[in-house]
Every structure is written in structure tokens, then in C-alpha cells.
Amino acid sequence: MIRTFAAVNVGSFEIELGIYELSDKVGVRQIDHVKHITRLGRDAFQDNRISYPQVEELCENLEEFARIAKGYQTAELRAYATSALREAENRQIVIEQVRVRTGITIRVLSNSEQRFLSYKAIAAHDADFQKAIQKGTAIVDIGFGSMQVSLFDKDALVSTQNLPLGVLKLREMVFEAQVSQETAQDVIAEMVDNEMVTFRKMYLKDRGIPSLIGIGETILTLYFHVHSGAGSGRITLEEFQNSFDRLSRMTRDQIEEEFEVNAGYADLLFPTAVILKRMLEMTGAQTIWMPGTSMTDAIAAEYAEEKRLLKFNHNFDNDIIAASRNMAKRYKCHMAHIQAVEAAALTVFDSLKKYHGMKERERLLLQIAANLHSCGKFVTMRDPTDCAYNIIMATEIIGLSHAQREIVANVVRYNIQKFRYDDTRFEAQASPGSRLVDPANLPLLVAKLVAILRLANSMDRGHKAKLADCRVTVKGNRMLITTGYEGDVTLERLAIGRTADFFEEIFGIRPELRQKKKV
């Protein structure tokens, strides 16, 4: 069975529609693509709001997209927006006007969601992607509003950072300065260096980065120019340098003619090339792989995965977990204790499946919270949970929405603090696309995860993994934590007792520690 799907990307510089055929045999295949240049990004980045003329133009274009999608008899249309709407103060008004006039509901992606989707689109190139991330590789995602650098090593995501180096912002800065092409190159390179200095110290060090993976609309344009859309998608350092030297000597009119783009887009290509050149120099990479993916490809890949028409061999949840563990290491957490708490939390969660009503995504959020529950101690040993909350909210965890990151931060904060159901920090209930529970039940979700984390933390109170072999069973209104550990578990018994009241309040089940006696 073939399903037709429409994906709409409301970007900073252009809005685009992709029509796709999806099936379990051929996977994802694009059959049509339409795009319009827009000034949403210029409005949002300069004035922090989208002007009425731009809203009018957006609605007109989306009405046209809706008609095209209807003509293809698409099963569904999904519209996602990125940095322009994300940064606009009047985004809710814009979204509502679009919904009323076109019937299209726009979902605004957080930066981490946007980059994670792009990363999934690359992973659709399964064999090439798996090969690329086995060795040190950095995904350089250059957008109109910002740039994301995600570092992989041995099939694991080491770190990801968002930098304010979007090509639209760089173009505006260069135009404002009214400098020559040569000076512009030096200025942009200096800005990249300034933003990358901390990332380089913390993550690159002696790590080898033999190749980069370049994604983004302007990168795609550069690639098609170098190879005319043919080839493996890989460009050597020498090929890139030759192309860069030629581009740096071109005027805007020459770039328009050579790349077959309009004047506004032509001005974005040189900043893109400068960023890539500096990244190659900083990392020592010898090749760039450009898989040729777009945001609409990413939206289609996500939809196909949900409908089980596309299966990724790569485990994305493991990347999210690996990123949280690397974050715990960065803040000097006691990793043996972290591992013990994580294992205990998952054991308790799984034993309560019939009672808590939570699913795999909530299980993942609990796992992340277990990994990060003590990161606040890096700042202060006194009242560390508020510090932990701020650290988590200030750190992007790729693959989590803002709402989901906020849930993790609150679970960690209430690991020690007295729980408040009316906490005004539960802002996630107003965030669209959390895909978890009814917003009205959000405090209860946080409370459930807090109760499990507190119990898991108490099960390793002495930081010696005494209950590593424990078995957790629920009988009636009691949860029996049975261990064969022969030493003293007084500390763990007392700690479990202190968490029992809150656990019982939430689940109606009281945890008890039982120690098998040696015969």
C-alpha cells in the first residue's frame, strides 16, 4: 500500500512543500517540491515579530500548498516552523491566523527538535550514516537563523551545541558593515572562531574528526553546484577549496547566474562557504558528506517512522541517553551512583506498568532525570536541586522538546524539594507538541516520575550499589524490594522509609525493603 503525504516547512528564508509517496517497500520518495522565498526571518530577527504583510503572504502561499496537497489526495499534511516563528513574539497570533485562513496548524519546533529531525533524515541513508558515525564525525547543520554542531564518536552522540551563526544573521551583519568580500570572509571566520572556542576546548581536544556531515538548504545548493547533483554526496577538501576560491571572486550577479538563484539567496552562499571552510580547518576533516536532505524530508521520515513504513537501524533514544550521560560526566557526577539509580528507576518503572499508565517516552524522561539528578552539586552542595534545574533548562538535549526538557528539570528539582502541585514552573502545559499527557495532568506526571526517582535514589543511598541484585514485585498495596545482599542495609532501609509516604500518596502502593536471610 502506498500512502501520499505532504510536508510543509515554514523556514526563516523560504517556505517549502514536499509531496511524498511512502510505502514499506520503497520507503520515502519525494514526487513534488514547491518553495517560495519569504522574509519571515528578517522580520523575526530584526523586530522580534512577524509583520502583517508577511503574515498575508504566508497565508496565501500556504493556501496554495493546501490546494496542491489536496490535488495529490494526501493522507495528511504536517506543517512545522523553525527559528523565525520560534523567535517571533507574535507567533501565537500568526499560527492562529494561518489556522483560521488555511486550515493548516503549524507546529513550532524547539531548536533541539528541529536538529533531531534533520538528523533522522540523514539516518534514512542507513548504510552511509552508520559508516560515517563509527569514527569521529561532526554534523554541521547551517540554518538561516543559527548553526548546530553535533559531535559523534564510536556510534554515540558526544555533544551538540547551537551557535548564533545563521547565514541570514551573518549576511545582515556584513551588509551593515559594508565591507569587501575579503574582509567579510575574515569577519565571519573570526565570529566562527569566537563561538567555537569553548566547544573546541571541551569536546575536540585530541579527538580526530576525519569528516564532516553538512546539512542545510544553502549547503545543499553549494553541493549541487560542485557536483551538478550527481555523485556520492562527498566532497574532498581539495574540491571544496577550489569551489570556495572561485566563489570568493564572484560578484552577486555572477553568483545569481552561476547558481541559478535570486539576489537574496545569492548573498547567503558566501557566508555558508566561509563557515564550512573554517570548520574544516578547525577540525582537520578531509571530506564533507552532503546527504542532500531538507526539512521536508525530515518531516516525511518522522511520519513514515510513526506509521511503521520506515524503520531506522540506528537507536535514537540511545543518543539522547548518551548525551545526558556525557552531560553528567561534564558536571562531575558520581557515575557509579548514577548507573545504580538509573537501573533502579527503570526496574521500579517497569514493575509498576499496570499502575502508572505511562509509556516509553515517559520512561526515557525518567532515565534522563536519573542521569542528571545530581548535576547541581557541581555548582553547590547546598540546595543543589535549583542549580540542577537551571543547568538542565539552559542545556539543549537533542531530541527533547522544550516541554520535555522542562519535565526532566522539574523531576530533578523535586527529587529533594517538597513537591508542589501548583508550581508555576510547569510551563510545559502551555507548550504544543509535547506528545505526553493531557496538559491538565502534567503536575501528576511530574509527581509520578519524582516518586520513582526518589525511591530509586534511596535504593543506593550509600553509593555502594548494595541493591544491584534486587527484585521488585508488587503485591496488593505493597511493593517488595527483595535483595540478597548480606551486608548492612540500614542506610537504604531508612532512606526508602523516608520516601515511602510520598510514593504511597502517588501510587497507592507502599515500598518495603526485604533482605533475604542466609540459610
Side-chain angles (χ1 to χ4, degrees), residues 200-218:
R200 182 170 48 188
K201 286 181 179 179
M202 292 182 67
Y203 304 112
L204 295 183
K205 295 182 180 178
D206 300 324
R207 193 187 303 274
I209 309 292
S211 66
L212 302 181
I213 301 175
I215 57 176
E217 289 298 326
T218 50

Side-chain angles (χ1 to χ4, degrees), residues 80-100:
Y80 290 174
T82 53
S83 56
L85 269 184
R86 188 165 61 234
E87 296 190 22
E89 294 175 349
N90 62 333
R91 60 183 171 275
Q92 293 299 334
I93 296 172
V94 175
I95 291 169
E96 179 62 12
Q97 288 196 28
V98 168
R99 186 190 66 79
V100 170

Side-chain angles (χ1 to χ4, degrees), residues 9 94 97 115 154 203 207 288 300 393 403 407-408 477:
N9 171 39
V94 175
Q97 288 196 28
R115 307 304 177 169
K154 296 177 182 177
Y203 304 112
R207 193 187 303 274
I288 308 174
M393 290 306 298
I407 289 169
V408 171
N477 61 354

Side-chain angles (χ1 to χ4, degrees), residues 4 79 95 141 162 168 190 193 200 202 222 225 250 277 316 350 367 395 455 461 507 513:
T4 310
I95 291 169
D141 184 355
N162 184 252
L168 194 58
E190 189 174 349
D193 288 354
R200 182 170 48 188
M202 292 182 67
L222 290 175
H225 178 259
M250 289 182 181
K277 181 176 184 291
F316 297 101
D350 293 342
Q367 197 168 357
T395 306
L455 178 60
R461 188 66 183 86
F507 296 111
L513 177 60

Side-chain angles (χ1 to χ4, degrees), residues 15 37-40 43 47 49-61 90 94 97-98 101:
I15 58 173
I37 302 300
T38 179
R39 293 183 50 178
L40 293 178
D43 279 9
D47 305 323
R49 59 192 302 106
I50 307 297
S51 65
Y52 178 74
Q54 288 302 308
V55 176
E56 276 288 303
E57 183 181 337
L58 176 62
C59 288
E60 289 173 4
N61 288 327
N90 62 333
V94 175
Q97 288 196 28
V98 168
R101 287 186 52 176

